[in-house]
Amino acid sequence: MLKTYITTVPLQGKLDPMLYQRERAEAPTATCFPIVQVMRDTLEPGDTVQLLAIRQENADTARNYQRLLEELAQLGIAEHQVRQIDLPED
């Protein structure tokens, strides 16, 4: 089954991993991006996944986007499964 997720990449300069608990879900793992926990809880073997990542064009979001890709890789989600949608900073 194709599962599509949508998230935004935060503007914050420094992201700290946090625990995001969802009702009736497995124990959370620390992440900087709540969508990672949602994906961890809802993806099933055999699913095809795509993530739409919306971000403003600036240095902080570029760095945070790379960190998102690193966390997704730990779930087995490759960069080609993520579609970056850039918005002008202004």
Side-chain angles (χ1 to χ4, degrees), residues 2 4 9 11 24-26 37 46 48 64 69 71 77:
L2 173 63
T4 302
V9 178
L11 291 167
R24 299 181 300 273
E26 297 295 321
Q37 185 66 42
T48 303
N64 293 341
L69 292 177
E71 288 195 15
I77 298 169

Side-chain angles (χ1 to χ4, degrees), residues 11 14 17 25 39 41 44 48 50 53 66 73-76 82 85:
L11 291 167
K14 182 176 186 287
M39 295 171 84
D41 292 343
E44 299 175 12
T48 303
Q50 68 175 353
Q66 289 306 311
Q74 294 174 4
L75 290 179
V82 181
I85 300 171

Side-chain angles (χ1 to χ4, degrees), residues 20 22 26-29 31 33-41:
Y20 296 95
R22 297 179 59 240
E26 297 295 321
T29 302
T31 178
F33 306 93
I35 194 68
V36 172
Q37 185 66 42
V38 171
M39 295 171 84
R40 189 177 288 127
D41 292 343

Side-chain angles (χ1 to χ4, degrees), residues 7 9 50-58 61-69 79-87:
T7 193
V9 178
Q50 68 175 353
L51 174 68
L52 306 178
I54 303 166
R55 75 170 198 86
Q56 287 187 340
E57 297 172 331
N58 68 37
T61 60
R63 183 181 56 254
N64 293 341
Y65 178 74
Q66 289 306 311
R67 186 152 187 193
L68 174 63
L69 292 177
E79 186 173 348
H80 73 272
Q81 294 172 283
V82 181
R83 181 171 166 222
Q84 180 175 269
I85 300 171
D86 294 323
L87 298 176

